[in-house]
Amino acid sequence: MNSQNTPVHIRLWHHDFWRLAVANLLLTMSVYMLVPVMPRWLLQGQGLSFHEVGAVMGAFGVGLFFFGLFVSFLVQHYRRNMVCIIAVLAVVCLLALLYYLDAVLCRDMELPLLMGHRFAFGAFFGLAQMTLTSTLIIDTSESFQRTEANHSAAWFSRFSLSLGPLAGLLIERSFGFSVVMLCAAGCAFVALVLVALVHFPFRTPLDHVPVVSLDRFFLPHGFPLFVNLLLVTVAVGILFSVDFSEHFYAMMMIGFLLALLAQRFVFRDAEVKSEVVSGLILLFAALLMMITRTQPIVWYAAPLFIGFGIGIIGSRFLLFFIKLSRHCQRGTSQSTFLLGWEGGIACGIGLGLALFQGEKISSLLMSLALVIVALVMYHFTHNWFVKNKNR
């Protein structure tokens, strides 16, 4: 119900939604700018082993879950936009601290410090993203626009999978890793400003809100879908643990653009099951090409297929989580998808570095095996989803 102070938006793409969507992109870019360059810095600059580097990178994925049980209490007991702003500010400070220790003090950092830093980075990023996607973006949209709002905003963060690493590699090549950290902090700071520019009417804090709750954190009856998504994202994370060039991520971005067009024109009236199946088949084909072929065309087609496949899989799984949610659980479905998506990729990167030490063929074979398992499992998951969806 709209009060006198609550803005009513006839169109979805109004100024506040644009600000939050771009903030979503920039905040996620601040994470993925470090993905291709931080492992090299840890190995060469900090003298860690591959197992230790894998543990540091994987700690981010564990940290994502840290504030989850308290998200509902925080956004209902305090001003919801301030919770997001403080979490993003913590992300900026953590990146600035890493820059200060490395570039200003030139200090070698111990493994516990690095793991604690990445864990805290993941924790505050997870809190910021859960608040942004499960509360703020929903609150700026009318009820009949909220599915489209969730779907559209998620595409902004999805593009960061290619834009972030691409920017990180280009900046490192020209200016070094320390400038990558500064630019990542700058992206997060601009995201903070954009969120701060959006006005959210004051809402009286609710009484008797439990401090610990699954609300806005995890959807228990979506667990089979969560596991299936996790198989895909861990496979993608292991793939990202391989040292690829800027060209790879640029072609992935083209794949994302093609996925957007395909959703609009190819899959619009297709069977619901076809998107995820097509995406997994494209991932399978891309990985198989990279394992068995060395022709130059492979390094154009394979990353394009990967971007296309990840794009349509992520988009469809997000809608599945929304359709599984019951009344007033939309925010919880968003957070569950976020944990499966970001957590799986982060843990996959950590596992890939620790187990395969960046070796390409072994990493690709493991990713291929996980994609096959995900494809087989999806046959059962989809049937389960059709029987259990609520929307």
Side-chain angles (χ1 to χ4, degrees):
M1 184 173 180
N2 295 307
S3 70
Q4 189 175 8
N5 296 319
T6 304
V8 178
H9 300 289
I10 304 302
R11 295 179 296 108
L12 172 64
W13 295 94
H14 50 82
H15 293 303
D16 288 347
F17 181 78
W18 270 109
R19 291 187 183 110
L20 294 181
V22 174
N24 195 19
L25 169 68
L26 292 172
L27 180 59
T28 316
M29 275 188 69
S30 71
V31 171
Y32 284 101
M33 285 174 73
L34 302 179
V35 164
V37 298
M38 191 171 186
R40 283 202 295 268
W41 173 74
L42 292 170
L43 287 166
Q44 299 167 10
Q46 300 302 311
L48 301 187
S49 68
F50 269 105
H51 290 92
E52 291 170 334
V53 172
V56 170
M57 298 301 290
F60 176 89
V62 180
L64 287 169
F65 292 78
F66 182 73
F67 285 110
L69 289 170
F70 312 103
V71 169
S72 179
F73 172 78
L74 290 172
V75 299
Q76 294 186 72
H77 197 73
Y78 303 100
R79 294 203 65 168
R80 54 204 189 278
N81 56 326
M82 288 306 301
V83 173
C84 184
I85 288 169
I86 291 170
V88 179
L89 180 61
V91 168
V92 175
C93 292
L94 285 166
L95 289 166
L97 174 64
L98 196 62
Y99 169 81
Y100 179 74
L101 292 174
D102 179 62
V104 179
L105 295 184
C106 300
R107 175 182 168 184
D108 289 335
M109 285 164 265
E110 300 295 329
L111 179 62
L113 174 62
L114 289 166
M115 286 193 66
H117 181 277
R118 284 291 290 179
F119 180 89
F121 188 31
F124 284 107
F125 172 76
L127 176 60
Q129 279 289 83
M130 286 185 207
T131 309
L132 183 60
T133 59
S134 71
T135 302
L136 300 188
I137 287 174
I138 291 173
D139 286 353
T140 57
S141 308
E142 299 305 310
S143 58
F144 66 92
Q145 297 171 332
R146 286 175 178 172
T147 297
E148 184 184 353
N150 295 141
H151 177 266
S152 301
W155 266 108
F156 279 78
S157 60
R158 207 165 289 135
F159 269 102
S160 68
L161 284 176
S162 55
L163 284 171
L166 179 60
L169 287 167
L170 290 173
I171 294 167
E172 186 205 33
R173 176 171 294 184
S174 301
F175 306 105
F177 178 71
S178 59
V179 179
V180 177
M181 289 187 284
L182 275 182
C183 291
C187 285
F189 181 76
V190 175
L192 182 154
V193 172
L194 289 170
V195 174
L197 287 174
V198 179
H199 172 67
F200 290 91
F202 175 76
R203 189 167 59 188
T204 305
L206 298 177
D207 295 326
H208 310 298
V209 178
V211 176
V212 175
S213 171
L214 289 177
D215 184 34
R216 288 183 171 88
F217 172 45
F218 193 80
L219 200 65
H221 63 273
F223 188 72
L225 199 63
F226 178 81
V227 173
N228 210 161
L229 175 63
L230 206 61
L231 286 170
V232 178
T233 53
V234 170
V236 173
I238 292 173
L239 177 66
F240 282 4
S241 70
V242 178
D243 191 9
F244 290 118
S245 68
E246 300 94 325
H247 169 81
F248 180 89
Y249 295 104
M251 292 305 299
M252 262 189 65
M253 187 160 51
I254 296 173
F256 284 139
L257 291 169
L258 291 176
L260 264 175
L261 292 173
Q263 282 197 313
R264 177 67 178 83
F265 299 107
V266 178
F267 293 106
R268 183 173 182 177
D269 298 314
E271 185 184 351
V272 174
K273 190 176 182 179
S274 63
E275 282 183 270
V276 175
V277 171
S278 299
L280 288 169
I281 289 173
L282 283 171
L283 283 177
F284 175 85
L287 292 167
L288 198 60
M289 288 166 61
M290 293 165 70
I291 293 168
T292 61
R293 296 289 182 267
T294 58
Q295 293 91 335
I297 188 64
V298 169
W299 299 103
Y300 288 90
L304 188 146
F305 286 177
I306 290 168
F308 192 107
I310 294 172
I312 58 176
I313 291 170
S315 185
R316 178 48 59 182
F317 266 94
L318 174 63
L319 293 175
F320 280 173
F321 276 109
I322 292 172
K323 290 180 180 294
L324 274 178
S325 62
R326 300 187 180 98
H327 181 62
C328 295
Q329 286 187 319
R330 178 182 290 273
T332 311
S333 70
Q334 299 300 297
S335 295
T336 308
F337 173 80
L338 168 73
L339 293 171
W341 185 264
E342 300 291 351
I345 292 174
C347 292
I349 292 169
L351 287 171
L353 290 165
L355 298 179
F356 307 113
Q357 303 184 4
E359 201 278 315
K360 186 173 75 173
I361 299 300
S362 301
S363 301
L364 295 177
L365 284 171
M366 188 62 197
S367 291
L368 185 67
L370 288 172
V371 168
I372 293 171
V373 174
L375 182 58
V376 173
M377 181 181 176
Y378 182 67
H379 171 73
F380 302 99
T381 305
H382 185 82
N383 293 335
W384 169 87
F385 163 76
V386 171
K387 294 176 182 176
N388 289 273
K389 65 180 181 178
N390 290 291
R391 298 174 188 263

